[in-house]
Structure formats: C-alpha cells, structure tokens
Amino acid sequence: MAGRLVLSVAMAIQWSGLGPELLLRLDRDGGPPLRSQLEIGIRDAIRDGRLQPGERLPSSREFARELGVSRGLVQECYGQLLSEGYLDSHVGSATRVAARAYPAASPVPKPAAAAPSRRLIADFRSGVPDLASFPRSDWVWAMREACREVATADLDYGDPRGSHALREVLTGYLRRVRAAAARPEDLVVCTGFAQGLNLVLEVLSQLGVRRVAFEDPGYGDDETSTSVRSAILAGAPAVRMPVDDLGIDVAALAASGARAVVVTPAHQAPTGVVLAPARRQALVEWASRHDAYIVEDDYDSEFRYDREPVGVLQGIAPDRVFTLGTVSKSLAPSVRLGWVIAPPALSGAVAEAKLLADRGTSGLDQLALAALLRSGRYDRHLRKMRGVYARRRTALIGALERHAPGVRLTGLAAGFHAVAHLPEDADEDAVVAGALRRSVGLYGMAPFRAVRGPAPPQLVLGFGLTGERAIEAGIAAVADLLR
C-alpha cells in the first residue's frame, strides 16, 4: 500500500523556523525502487519550483529517519542528484538545492509585475483612514495581553457569535458611544463589513425578502459594488433610492416594494449628509408598516467635529434594525474585525449563518480588541485621530478658500471625506484626469452613482491618507482645474 509521507525540507529547516514542508509519496508495495522514487520526488520538486535554489535539505541521517529508510539509500540519492547538478554540497556545510538548478520544464508561472504606480503629491482617496497612525505599540500590547490571559478552553472554536469577553465590552462601548440598545447575546462578531452584510442578507433571504434597496449615490453600480453584488447573489435584486440633502427618500422607498434597505444614516456615504430627524422616524415607520428591515452601515460616525454625535437607528428600533460596525476606520482595514447587532428574534439566525460561513472570527484578535477597549487605549486612539482629522479638515477648507474659492464643500460634519461641488460647466472626468497628470489623486462622484445620467459635477475628497502639507500642495497644484 502506498505510504504518504509529509516531511520538512529539512528537519533542520523546520527547527530553525525556515523553509516550507514538502509532500513526497513513496510506494513500498511493489513500486519502483525506493531510491528511484526519492530521486524523482526531489528532482521534480526542484523542477516545478517547490524547492527553490539555495533551499537547505536535511542531513542524510535525519532524512533517513523521517522516511524510515537506510541512511545509505539517502546518501546514494543525494550523490546522484549532486552529479546531475541539482544539489550542491561542501565539506562542513549542508546539502542545498543548487543555485543554478532552475526549473527545466513546466515552470510555475509567476504573476506579472504590477505597473509602477505614479507617486502622488496628494491622494484624496476616500474611505481609508490614516494607515500610518495605526497604534502599533498598543496592538502589540493588546495581543500580548490576549495571549497571556486566554484560557486554554478559549483556544477552541468557541461560540460562533464571538468571544463573550469582546461582546460584553463592545456592547457596553456601543451603548455608551453610539446609544445602541445592544446586548451581548444579540451581537455577532464578523470579519469586517462585507461579511456582516452577507450574513444579514442570508438571513433576510430566509425570511423571504426578495428586494433590497440601496442609497444612490452610494456603493456604486451592480458591477463595481461588492455590497450590491452580494444582495444579487443572495437572490434579492437591488433597487436604488435617491438621496437628497435630508438623506434617503423614504417616500420613494415605500413605493419601491423593497422589504429591506441598506443605509448610512449618521454620515451618508459618499454625500456626507446626516439623515434628518423626520426622515429617521419615517424610515422606522416604513419598516414597521411593511414588515421590513433596515441595515445600518455605521462606518465612521465616531469622528464628529462641529455637531453632537447622532446615535444609531438601532437604538430607536432594535426589532427592525441590523447595525453593522467595524474597526476598519478607527484602527485599520487589515484588522478584519466587525460586528452585527441583530434584532433579538434574528440574532440566532445570524449566528447560525456565521457558523456555516467560517465557524468564527479569530479569537485572539477579538481578545486583543477587548483588551484595547477595557484599557482605555482604544478611546485614547480615537481622541488622537479626531484631532488629526480635524486639523486636516481645517487644512482642506483653508486650501480651497485660498486657491479655489468658488468650490463649495459639504458633508464635513463627520468622518474624513467631504464633497466638493464644482462649477456647473465643469467636466468631472476631465478634472480627475487632469489632476492625475499633475500627480494629484482626485476622485469624482460618478463611480458612486448607480443611475447614470446628467448630474452636477462633484468630487469626493478624502483626507484620511493625506497630511496637512500634502493637502495644501495638492489643492494648489490643481487649483485652475477646480476653478
């Protein structure tokens, strides 16, 4: 019977923390001689790139022990491959793959190198926080705390809802900061907003929801928006609801036949408007009257400047609202942690969907976030970043006043992006292209629109990635285009 052996490309490499493992198959029951099988296995691994030039192989003694063969067999195999030029060996040194032993046949194709990106004076891309300000030392401290305090039992798969320690401290935080009506048992930890939305859409599909509404402008069209594509894949065609200065048009929503809507009420993405109080009440009444649900994307509302924070919709209608939040804006997108606050009657269904999706989000990362929240370091980081973004916001306002005073800015109450309203006769696409030729990254409103047609020329100016000096230099470089 064929014996399947998994061995490291050398045991010495495994001990030193270097090198991959190599899968070899030896047929001990009537196959070719073991030496031939071993030679072919190593030779093929070198040819197809699984063993790279310079890779260290195990000593003949250790290799023989791992394979359960004689040391002499391994030595003969090594000798043959040395003579063929596949291996190198020197007195007092390990046997290695020869530096000249490049794949001879069917090499594994390497991905094409990406075209070098243009170095920008300023990049006004929206939706991304200041990545350089990620609190590395605090995160290292939190991970150390998580590893030190985690119980052995908590290293198992655990509750698909997520770590109870995180859910407890997070619901307390959300009650305090976002006025949420949150309980630990109704919160499900997920891997970012995209997964949270997918879980909710799956549950809504089970409830028979066959049409989901999205804001327009909002996430974009059916082809570019992963959120809209998720709804379509869940069997719920997307319909678009217009957004005006008061937020989503609830009357249009009521006439659409949708039984669910995805909204960004605290700071509409991308227009930046805040859903007006009357619209908030009307939206909740719509959900109650039509047995419908609101999916609330609470993405950057922790960063507010010149008005009081607006609480989540979930706080006034916990039976009708799913609230989705993440640390992608407060910490960094690479920290793949988010959460869903579900209506109590549906939290079990969301947890079941999470269980079937991946059995749970990284437990140690959850415990690290819990440690940040408990220690006050998370709040301290938010206070620091509010100051950083407030200064950049002021720099953006001042730069436009100096260099393009005819450009009006809106959507500045929260977050780290604003909308610049260009002159009516401006060509949005031409402004974006002209700015790029001057090494300035500007981004139009058009990609956020699903319904294409005549629309006022606007830019979505993010200031999360760009410092104050770069903001000034970038706006000065494109001032005539904006005018």
Side-chain angles (χ1 to χ4, degrees), residues 33 108 136 166 220 232 261 264 287 301 305 338 356 363:
V108 176
R136 296 169 187 260
L166 175 60
I232 295 171
V261 61
T264 49
S301 52
Y305 308 108
L356 296 176

PDB file of all heavy atoms in Angstrom, residues 33 108 136 166 220 232 261 264 287 301 305 338 356 363:
ATOM      1  N   PRO A  33      12.066   1.005  -7.232  1.00  0.00           N
ATOM      2  CA  PRO A  33      12.952   1.042  -6.065  1.00  0.00           C
ATOM      3  C   PRO A  33      12.807   2.369  -5.304  1.00  0.00           C
ATOM      4  O   PRO A  33      12.613   3.430  -5.905  1.00  0.00           O
ATOM      5  CB  PRO A  33      14.349   0.902  -6.686  1.00  0.00           C
ATOM      6  CG  PRO A  33      14.118   0.188  -7.979  1.00  0.00           C
ATOM      7  CD  PRO A  33      12.790   0.665  -8.467  1.00  0.00           C
ATOM      8  N   VAL A 108       6.278  26.954 -12.837  1.00  0.00           N
ATOM      9  CA  VAL A 108       5.069  27.579 -12.319  1.00  0.00           C
ATOM     10  C   VAL A 108       5.080  29.042 -12.727  1.00  0.00           C
ATOM     11  O   VAL A 108       6.030  29.780 -12.423  1.00  0.00           O
ATOM     12  CB  VAL A 108       5.028  27.462 -10.785  1.00  0.00           C
ATOM     13  CG1 VAL A 108       3.816  28.189 -10.235  1.00  0.00           C
ATOM     14  CG2 VAL A 108       5.026  25.991 -10.377  1.00  0.00           C
ATOM     15  N   ARG A 136       0.424  50.764  16.596  1.00  0.00           N
ATOM     16  CA  ARG A 136       1.161  49.500  16.586  1.00  0.00           C
ATOM     17  C   ARG A 136       1.544  49.036  17.995  1.00  0.00           C
ATOM     18  O   ARG A 136       1.396  47.866  18.339  1.00  0.00           O
ATOM     19  CB  ARG A 136       2.425  49.639  15.730  1.00  0.00           C
ATOM     20  CG  ARG A 136       2.155  49.905  14.253  1.00  0.00           C
ATOM     21  CD  ARG A 136       3.443  50.289  13.531  1.00  0.00           C
ATOM     22  NE  ARG A 136       3.191  50.710  12.159  1.00  0.00           N
ATOM     23  CZ  ARG A 136       3.367  49.955  11.088  1.00  0.00           C
ATOM     24  NH1 ARG A 136       3.808  48.719  11.241  1.00  0.00           N
ATOM     25  NH2 ARG A 136       3.128  50.415   9.879  1.00  0.00           N
ATOM     26  N   LEU A 166     -15.274  39.950  24.384  1.00  0.00           N
ATOM     27  CA  LEU A 166     -15.371  41.080  23.457  1.00  0.00           C
ATOM     28  C   LEU A 166     -16.807  41.556  23.330  1.00  0.00           C
ATOM     29  O   LEU A 166     -17.067  42.761  23.350  1.00  0.00           O
ATOM     30  CB  LEU A 166     -14.827  40.699  22.082  1.00  0.00           C
ATOM     31  CG  LEU A 166     -15.000  41.784  21.005  1.00  0.00           C
ATOM     32  CD1 LEU A 166     -14.276  43.067  21.395  1.00  0.00           C
ATOM     33  CD2 LEU A 166     -14.514  41.299  19.646  1.00  0.00           C
ATOM     34  N   GLY A 220     -22.261  52.296  -5.455  1.00  0.00           N
ATOM     35  CA  GLY A 220     -21.910  52.156  -6.866  1.00  0.00           C
ATOM     36  C   GLY A 220     -22.868  51.243  -7.592  1.00  0.00           C
ATOM     37  O   GLY A 220     -23.939  50.888  -7.083  1.00  0.00           O
ATOM     38  N   ILE A 232     -27.502  40.622  -4.809  1.00  0.00           N
ATOM     39  CA  ILE A 232     -27.967  39.921  -6.006  1.00  0.00           C
ATOM     40  C   ILE A 232     -27.702  38.425  -5.875  1.00  0.00           C
ATOM     41  O   ILE A 232     -28.562  37.588  -6.198  1.00  0.00           O
ATOM     42  CB  ILE A 232     -27.295  40.507  -7.256  1.00  0.00           C
ATOM     43  CG1 ILE A 232     -27.742  41.965  -7.458  1.00  0.00           C
ATOM     44  CG2 ILE A 232     -27.616  39.678  -8.492  1.00  0.00           C
ATOM     45  CD1 ILE A 232     -26.965  42.700  -8.532  1.00  0.00           C
ATOM     46  N   VAL A 261     -33.565  47.760   3.378  1.00  0.00           N
ATOM     47  CA  VAL A 261     -32.812  48.875   2.821  1.00  0.00           C
ATOM     48  C   VAL A 261     -31.491  48.978   3.561  1.00  0.00           C
ATOM     49  O   VAL A 261     -31.426  48.792   4.782  1.00  0.00           O
ATOM     50  CB  VAL A 261     -33.600  50.202   2.930  1.00  0.00           C
ATOM     51  CG1 VAL A 261     -33.898  50.564   4.372  1.00  0.00           C
ATOM     52  CG2 VAL A 261     -32.842  51.349   2.252  1.00  0.00           C
ATOM     53  N   THR A 264     -26.706  54.562   5.309  1.00  0.00           N
ATOM     54  CA  THR A 264     -25.610  55.120   6.111  1.00  0.00           C
ATOM     55  C   THR A 264     -26.138  56.408   6.752  1.00  0.00           C
ATOM     56  O   THR A 264     -25.811  57.509   6.314  1.00  0.00           O
ATOM     57  CB  THR A 264     -24.381  55.411   5.224  1.00  0.00           C
ATOM     58  OG1 THR A 264     -24.798  56.140   4.051  1.00  0.00           O
ATOM     59  CG2 THR A 264     -23.731  54.126   4.765  1.00  0.00           C
ATOM     60  N   ALA A 287     -40.402  50.602   8.064  1.00  0.00           N
ATOM     61  CA  ALA A 287     -40.005  49.237   8.388  1.00  0.00           C
ATOM     62  C   ALA A 287     -41.099  48.515   9.168  1.00  0.00           C
ATOM     63  O   ALA A 287     -41.409  47.354   8.894  1.00  0.00           O
ATOM     64  CB  ALA A 287     -38.695  49.244   9.181  1.00  0.00           C
ATOM     65  N   SER A 301     -18.878  57.106  12.108  1.00  0.00           N
ATOM     66  CA  SER A 301     -19.574  58.135  12.885  1.00  0.00           C
ATOM     67  C   SER A 301     -18.860  58.511  14.178  1.00  0.00           C
ATOM     68  O   SER A 301     -19.247  59.459  14.860  1.00  0.00           O
ATOM     69  CB  SER A 301     -20.995  57.658  13.210  1.00  0.00           C
ATOM     70  OG  SER A 301     -20.948  56.374  13.804  1.00  0.00           O
ATOM     71  N   TYR A 305     -17.204  66.501  14.406  1.00  0.00           N
ATOM     72  CA  TYR A 305     -16.442  67.729  14.626  1.00  0.00           C
ATOM     73  C   TYR A 305     -17.294  68.878  15.179  1.00  0.00           C
ATOM     74  O   TYR A 305     -17.116  69.301  16.308  1.00  0.00           O
ATOM     75  CB  TYR A 305     -15.749  68.143  13.319  1.00  0.00           C
ATOM     76  CG  TYR A 305     -14.959  67.014  12.724  1.00  0.00           C
ATOM     77  CD1 TYR A 305     -15.385  66.372  11.572  1.00  0.00           C
ATOM     78  CD2 TYR A 305     -13.801  66.540  13.343  1.00  0.00           C
ATOM     79  CE1 TYR A 305     -14.664  65.309  11.028  1.00  0.00           C
ATOM     80  CE2 TYR A 305     -13.083  65.480  12.817  1.00  0.00           C
ATOM     81  CZ  TYR A 305     -13.518  64.872  11.660  1.00  0.00           C
ATOM     82  OH  TYR A 305     -12.823  63.823  11.135  1.00  0.00           O
ATOM     83  N   GLY A 338     -15.337  43.089  12.715  1.00  0.00           N
ATOM     84  CA  GLY A 338     -16.564  43.872  12.659  1.00  0.00           C
ATOM     85  C   GLY A 338     -17.621  43.197  13.507  1.00  0.00           C
ATOM     86  O   GLY A 338     -17.360  42.199  14.192  1.00  0.00           O
ATOM     87  N   LEU A 356     -21.926  28.587   9.719  1.00  0.00           N
ATOM     88  CA  LEU A 356     -21.807  27.906   8.441  1.00  0.00           C
ATOM     89  C   LEU A 356     -20.780  28.576   7.529  1.00  0.00           C
ATOM     90  O   LEU A 356     -20.193  27.925   6.666  1.00  0.00           O
ATOM     91  CB  LEU A 356     -23.171  27.865   7.740  1.00  0.00           C
ATOM     92  CG  LEU A 356     -24.258  27.065   8.471  1.00  0.00           C
ATOM     93  CD1 LEU A 356     -25.578  27.174   7.730  1.00  0.00           C
ATOM     94  CD2 LEU A 356     -23.845  25.605   8.620  1.00  0.00           C
ATOM     95  N   GLY A 363     -10.128  34.316  17.339  1.00  0.00           N
ATOM     96  CA  GLY A 363     -10.382  34.542  18.758  1.00  0.00           C
ATOM     97  C   GLY A 363      -9.351  35.424  19.429  1.00  0.00           C
ATOM     98  O   GLY A 363      -9.684  36.274  20.261  1.00  0.00           O
TER      99      GLY A 363
END
